[in-house]
Amino acid sequence: MATPLAPEADWIRVRVSGKINLALRVGAVRPNGYHPLATVFQSVSLFDEVGVRWDEPGRFTVSVAGDQADLVPSDGNNLAVKAAKLLADHYGPHRLGAEITIRKTIPVAGGMAGGSADAAGALLACSVLWDLDTSPDDLRGFGAKLGADVPFQLMGGTAFGTGRGDQLVPVLSRGSYHWVLALSEDELSTPAVFRRFDEFNPEAPDDLPLPNEVMNALVAGDAVALGDALINDLEPAAASMRPGLVRVLETGRELGALGAVVSGAGPTCAFLAANEAAAVDLSVQLSSEGLCRAVRRVTGPVPGARLITA
Ligand code: C5P
């Protein structure tokens, strides 16, 4: 007699990572509401897990567990559901359906593209579940329709992004970097931070400076130079909306970080440590300052969306 398949065998699971921006240069808002960017992304080892299994045609559900799960929409507004529907609409509108689960550790609305990571995970997982004939390029194309960060969240590693941040080329990066992340008590709305950036920068340039210092430091594998080169044009806007961020950044620097930067639109702050031992020290001391919700120690670069095999 054949053994019935364990329920776990019905599921396709994908691991997705958070990102930080090592450089984020921002230009003047365009008529479509987006800002041109010149950014260097790095994926770091803070992971969400996205699982999918077949559901009735046209039925798409999501359940969310883990850190801050209550802050994530569990209806059609969830970006992973939108991702599954986008693929289904393209490949089999009356044939495909999915039950989605998300386990979160990437902070919600924290500037680490957690929602985009979950969308990237759903795209990859559904394409495998439904046995679709999609290439990585196809998936990145679908991803760009869902959000500016989704293509990078599919790809992972270290990449230079232009356009809305969705035109990507891999960046040569030597070595592994040790980061300490300060997770904030509350969230920041990305569109609101960009609007504040517009108020602060009515003359933002069209020609964005290339983040050459960051790229050179990565090629050399030079953590000290990278710490000096970290830059984020959204930082003043984010800090004006969460004044406590200035203190968090200063504290990390005083405690010996090689560099400190707000990640993306914030409010997560990223501190570069010289090595693993320095990262352990920094994370313990930063925790004891009580300035943030939680402190996480991560490394980067790590891969983007990847299937979890049994
Ligand atoms: O693409 P995504 O939906 O993730 O972007 C969220 C918001 O962030 C956009 O609606 C826009 O307000 C802002 N944004 C921007 N310029 C970018 C990326 C995002 O203004 N390059």
Side-chain angles (χ1 to χ4, degrees):
M1 200 175 78
T3 318
L5 285 178
E8 182 55 29
D10 296 344
W11 290 91
I12 300 293
R13 297 195 188 277
V14 168
R15 195 174 81 162
V16 291
S17 48
K19 63 85 186 159
I20 54 183
N21 300 80
L22 309 182
L24 179 51
R25 310 312 306 256
V26 182
V29 65
R30 295 281 152 89
N32 66 2
Y34 278 89
H35 295 71
L37 306 181
T39 186
V40 179
F41 295 107
Q42 184 170 97
S43 293
V44 294
S45 58
L46 201 57
F47 301 110
D48 285 0
E49 193 183 302
V50 180
V52 298
R53 70 173 171 182
W54 278 92
D55 206 332
E56 292 164 24
R59 191 174 144 85
F60 297 88
T61 61
V62 64
S63 59
V64 186
D67 295 351
Q68 299 180 299
D70 52 322
L71 299 179
V72 180
S74 56
D75 56 15
N77 289 318
N78 188 296
L79 210 51
V81 172
K82 291 184 181 175
K85 282 184 173 164
L86 183 68
L87 275 190
D89 283 346
H90 187 83
Y91 287 98
H94 307 296
R95 200 169 51 81
L96 303 172
E99 178 184 347
I100 304 171
T101 61
I102 301 173
R103 176 162 291 280
K104 293 218 59 80
T105 65
I106 306 172
V108 176
M112 296 188 69
S116 300
D118 299 341
L123 286 175
L124 177 60
C126 286
S127 72
V128 173
L129 178 75
W130 296 330
D131 198 19
L132 305 178
D133 189 18
T134 50
S135 67
D137 270 357
D138 294 338
L139 283 188
R140 280 200 282 274
F142 287 113
K145 292 187 177 154
L146 293 159
D149 289 336
V150 182
F152 176 71
Q153 292 297 46
L154 282 160
M155 177 175 160
T158 310
F160 178 50
T162 53
R164 297 178 306 150
D166 53 346
Q167 310 289 312
L168 299 168
V169 285
V171 166
L172 188 61
S173 173
R174 221 180 285 275
S176 183
Y177 295 89
H178 295 270
W179 298 96
V180 174
L181 304 174
L183 311 191
S184 183
E185 289 293 349
D186 48 15
E187 302 78 50
L188 264 176
S189 148
T190 299
V193 173
F194 273 104
R195 280 198 299 274
R196 182 64 62 90
F197 170 88
D198 294 339
E199 288 164 29
F200 285 0
N201 300 277
E203 310 281 327
D206 273 339
D207 283 335
L208 292 176
L210 284 178
N212 287 328
E213 286 88 359
V214 163
M215 309 261 223
N216 292 339
L218 290 170
V219 170
D222 184 338
V224 173
L226 182 60
D228 282 343
L230 298 171
I231 183 155
N232 181 355
D233 287 344
L234 293 179
E235 198 166 287
S240 78
M241 296 168 75
R242 294 284 181 278
L245 291 183
V246 176
R247 172 103 191 278
V248 176
L249 292 167
E250 273 170 8
T251 304
R253 288 190 187 104
E254 283 162 12
L255 293 173
L258 298 178
V261 73
V262 168
S263 177
T268 305
C269 293
F271 302 95
L272 183 60
N275 51 44
E276 188 175 358
V280 171
D281 281 352
L282 179 57
S283 62
V284 170
Q285 292 185 60
L286 203 56
S287 293
S288 68
E289 296 284 333
L291 294 172
C292 52
R293 172 169 67 85
V295 172
R296 298 273 182 270
R297 211 155 44 76
V298 297
T299 59
V302 297
R306 291 293 180 275
L307 278 176
I308 300 171
T309 45

